Amino acid sequence: MKSNLGYFALAALIIFTACNQSRPTAVDEDGLATLSADSIRLHVSRLAHDSLLGRKPFTAGETKTIAYLQSQFKEAGLEPGNGDSYLQEVPMVNIQTYADPQMRVSSPKGGFSLKGFADYVIWTDKITDKVSLNNDELVFAGYGVVAPEHNWNDYAGLDVKGKVVLVMVNDPGFAAGDTTLFKGKTMTYYGRWTYKFEEAARQGAKGCLIVHTTEGASYPFSVVQNNWNASKLRLDDRSKAKPYTDINGWVSLPAAKRLVAAAGMDSTSFFAQADKRGFKGSSLNLRLSTNMKVETTFNKSFNVIGKITGSKRPDEVIVYTSHWDHLGVGTADETADSIYNGAFDNASGTASLIELARAFKSLKTQPERTVIMLAVTAEEQGLWGSAYYAQNPVYPAANTVANINIDGLNPFETTRDIVTVGEGQSELEDYLKTEAEKAGRVLAFETHPEAGYYYRSDHFNFAKVGVPALYTSRGVNVIGKEEGYGEKTAAEYREKHYHRPSDEYDPATWTFAGGLDDLKLLFLVGKRLAFETTMPKWKEGSEFKAIREKE
Ligand SMILES: [Zn+2]
């Protein structure tokens, strides 16, 4: 939405009037009556307002957003969640890279150069001023996966210390189309590019290059190219001894084939060998050289955290999360609007936290376990606020019963279904199913599990430290509409409004009727957890099960 003073004055008036109608109600037997679509609408209209400038970390928009959330958490009756503070500081670093325009490849038979941007894209996650490859050996490590629960180790018997590994995107199950291998077409954590870099660093590699394929990544090489000499935000974790490779990146498929050919092999059979159980990685007998200058800038942002202390088991916590941040002010669209309001993504989820707080506070019997509302920062830049919380938890992961994450609440009509992202991950799915059925609704699953959405929002950082995490998205079976209507509107949002200035609150059409129904279910799941003594578990085959059991 464009800045317009007249509009702002009007909006302020509406906000002021509406405000008086959405006070927390008195005691509410089951909490459900407290949840209100009008109240969600009110908070979304404020959080997605132009005056918050697209809620980008480190801007005046952040200052206003976190002030608003603190005051709302307080008004809803939440106690400060981090000692006597509602804030958790998140130290971050911005890393700007300046890579040389080419990479020299030498082989026993001679050498050639690959072109930066066209053939490959590299960057560093290291806090330093310069990184280089100096005739470093290139080793093929299949999918670069170590997955004990699938009895798979691409690094077995392979020495990659100080070397550059070449790995493939996605996982062996995806490529082979074999449902008995990993999860078949459904992407696992091992298929994500972030995992490849983390594993390569754990193995002591100096660099990690992923072979890009459009099917495997689910996006074209042009998306990867956006990373070329771009600036990237990540956590400032200098105080931790976390391993990092010097250089990470992608090579295009044609460039990867050139590398394999230079090693004297046929690329088709060469890459296919990695899909087979018992695959062994090997050196390509090629050496790489290139340089990169690095500029770092340090800054800090904030997570906002409030709680309701449990009456009987205060040390056991249930954490609701939503990212408060969005993209700020950027490139203008065709209507000359440059403010990325992020009304759906994720003013709607953030507003939900305020509503959930009011609902839990209104309960006649206070929760026996502690309930946390955590609005996290810097999701859009790489899930950093939740990563920081997971690595520096205010409440230990072992005592964290569950995470329920909301990233986009349905602004429109009610749906019969609610979609669980990440089918079969944890028992929280069964909790949701029970509540959905009691409400006369049904549980549905993702239509494109190969896109790996379970690994793309904040709950993923809880999963990585073993906390069972529930993430849903809006249903597609819209009540009172023809078949296909739900898919059509969802596709429309992705094409026209996702990460664009037009993701705006529309008071005329955004009823949140569907969102209210979904929020009720998420509230009921959390409420059940807040009164019971059991700890929900990861299901068999989940890549996070072993992490939880180690605790
Ligand atoms: Zn989001």
Side-chain angles (χ1 to χ4, degrees):
M1 139 193 334
K2 268 180 287 178
S3 260
N4 177 318
L5 220 61
Y7 175 82
F8 181 77
L10 179 66
L13 185 69
I14 294 167
I15 283 165
F16 186 74
T17 327
C19 183
N20 297 323
Q21 297 158 1
S22 72
R23 297 285 142 209
T25 52
V27 174
D28 176 357
E29 202 72 40
D30 64 3
L32 288 177
T34 304
L35 294 171
S36 134
D38 278 343
S39 187
I40 297 168
R41 281 155 54 88
L42 167 71
H43 296 303
V44 170
S45 72
R46 290 169 168 180
L47 288 163
H49 194 267
D50 275 3
S51 60
L52 268 60
L53 303 166
R55 302 186 307 280
K56 193 174 184 183
F58 317 136
T59 66
E62 161 161 11
T63 311
K64 287 183 182 170
T65 304
I66 63 174
Y68 181 72
L69 290 174
Q70 281 189 86
S71 73
Q72 290 300 321
F73 278 7
K74 202 183 243 174
E75 193 175 317
L78 293 185
E79 306 149 52
N82 185 16
D84 57 3
S85 174
Y86 286 99
L87 299 178
Q88 181 185 37
E89 193 177 295
V90 180
M92 284 191 275
V93 58
N94 189 69
I95 301 179
Q96 168 74 55
T97 52
Y98 302 93
D100 279 1
Q102 58 185 13
M103 184 185 288
R104 190 74 201 145
V105 183
S106 50
S107 81
K109 283 185 241 154
F112 61 95
S113 287
L114 293 177
K115 280 204 186 82
F117 187 78
D119 296 330
Y120 68 92
V121 174
I122 51 171
W123 63 87
T124 187
D125 288 327
K126 258 199 176 159
I127 297 173
T128 180
D129 54 2
K130 186 178 185 272
V131 288
S132 9
L133 297 179
N134 304 309
N135 235 12
D136 291 313
E137 190 180 338
L138 185 66
V139 177
F140 181 57
Y143 287 90
V145 166
V146 180
E149 73 278 22
H150 297 290
N151 193 18
W152 194 281
N153 185 353
D154 285 325
Y155 285 101
L158 204 57
D159 175 21
V160 300
K161 288 211 170 48
K163 301 172 185 174
V164 179
V165 291
L166 183 71
V167 299
M168 306 212 292
V169 70
N170 221 308
D171 64 41
F174 175 83
D178 178 351
T179 50
T180 63
L181 213 50
F182 287 68
K183 290 187 176 174
K185 290 280 172 206
T186 299
M187 191 183 260
T188 62
Y189 169 37
Y190 305 109
R192 292 282 292 159
W193 53 275
T194 47
Y195 167 80
K196 314 276 182 190
F197 300 140
E198 288 165 6
E199 190 58 54
R202 280 192 287 270
Q203 299 289 335
K206 185 174 183 183
C208 179
L209 298 172
I210 303 175
V211 179
H212 176 269
T213 65
T214 301
E215 316 77 68
S218 86
Y219 40 78
F221 194 64
S222 58
V223 170
V224 170
Q225 286 176 315
N226 291 334
N227 293 300
W228 179 252
N229 285 345
S231 75
K232 278 177 178 292
L233 203 61
R234 73 162 182 80
L235 293 181
D236 171 11
D237 53 7
R238 285 172 293 177
S239 60
K240 312 219 160 185
K242 204 184 159 200
Y244 284 102
T245 44
D246 283 13
I247 284 182
N248 288 331
W250 295 78
V251 282
S252 72
L253 186 58
K257 286 180 175 172
R258 268 184 86 186
L259 290 170
V260 174
M265 280 171 279
D266 168 65
S267 56
T268 314
S269 58
F270 183 78
F271 290 128
Q273 61 171 326
D275 299 344
K276 302 206 177 66
R277 206 166 266 294
F279 156 80
K280 290 262 180 301
S282 57
S283 172
L284 281 166
N285 243 331
L286 302 174
R287 291 180 178 272
L288 308 178
S289 302
T290 194
N291 294 302
M292 189 192 285
K293 277 204 307 186
V294 187
E295 252 172 42
T296 50
T297 325
F298 297 91
N299 216 329
K300 53 179 185 269
S301 183
F302 295 90
N303 290 333
V304 187
I305 177 167
K307 69 168 176 180
I308 300 167
T309 304
S311 60
K312 293 205 176 128
R313 293 176 296 288
D315 293 341
E316 298 174 1
V317 305
I318 293 131
V319 184
Y320 283 93
T321 45
S322 275
H323 72 88
W324 62 253
D325 68 297
H326 196 56
L327 302 167
V329 180
T331 313
D333 66 6
E334 55 284 351
T335 70
D337 184 2
S338 62
I339 299 177
Y340 290 65
N341 306 79
F344 176 71
D345 184 13
N346 184 27
S348 65
T350 313
S352 301
L353 293 185
I354 303 168
E355 278 309 281
L356 288 165
R358 296 194 322 116
F360 275 105
K361 280 303 284 186
S362 74
L363 289 174
K364 197 170 169 189
T365 316
Q366 286 293 290
E368 295 178 4
R369 282 170 160 162
T370 295
V371 180
I372 311 276
M373 298 299 159
L374 176 63
V376 292
T377 182
E379 189 269 357
E380 302 287 9
Q381 306 252 14
L383 320 183
W384 297 122
S386 54
Y388 186 79
Y389 179 89
Q391 291 162 29
N392 306 271
V394 182
Y395 307 91
N399 294 349
T400 303
V401 178
N403 167 240
I404 300 173
N405 183 44
I406 309 173
D407 191 353
L409 186 75
N410 180 9
F412 305 119
E413 301 93 340
T414 54
T415 61
R416 189 161 317 280
D417 54 339
I418 180 165
V419 173
T420 302
V421 179
E423 180 175 3
Q425 282 285 4
S426 82
E427 290 173 358
L428 293 173
E429 178 181 312
D430 307 326
Y431 281 68
L432 182 66
K433 184 166 190 269
T434 305
E435 297 307 332
E437 283 169 0
K438 275 198 258 173
R441 302 183 64 197
V442 293
L443 202 61
F445 300 102
E446 294 164 277
T447 41
H448 295 288
E450 70 277 12
Y453 281 105
Y454 194 71
Y455 315 101
R456 294 196 189 182
S457 188
D458 296 298
H459 58 284
F460 174 46
N461 283 314
F462 283 83
K464 278 170 89 176
V465 295
V467 176
L470 180 68
Y471 178 45
T472 61
S473 75
R474 65 174 153 137
V476 289
N477 185 345
V478 181
I479 293 167
K481 299 281 180 183
E482 72 279 8
E483 219 190 298
Y485 175 87
E487 275 102 350
K488 202 181 72 194
T489 49
E492 209 170 86
Y493 168 79
R494 275 196 306 274
E495 277 154 35
K496 294 193 183 149
H497 309 300
Y498 173 72
H499 285 192
R500 296 200 185 193
S502 65
D503 180 3
E504 296 195 51
Y505 172 61
D506 177 6
T509 58
W510 286 36
T511 62
F512 278 102
L516 180 64
D517 278 2
D518 290 354
L519 193 58
K520 281 180 181 169
L521 299 183
L522 298 179
F523 168 69
L524 289 168
V525 169
K527 190 174 117 182
R528 204 178 121 195
L529 291 166
F531 285 93
E532 66 179 27
T533 53
T534 42
M535 299 289 275
K537 294 187 181 67
W538 292 102
K539 292 194 175 188
E540 215 54 62
S542 168
E543 55 271 59
F544 309 109
K545 191 175 169 64
I547 306 171
R548 185 64 154 183
E549 285 165 2
K550 253 189 267 168
E551 276 164 2

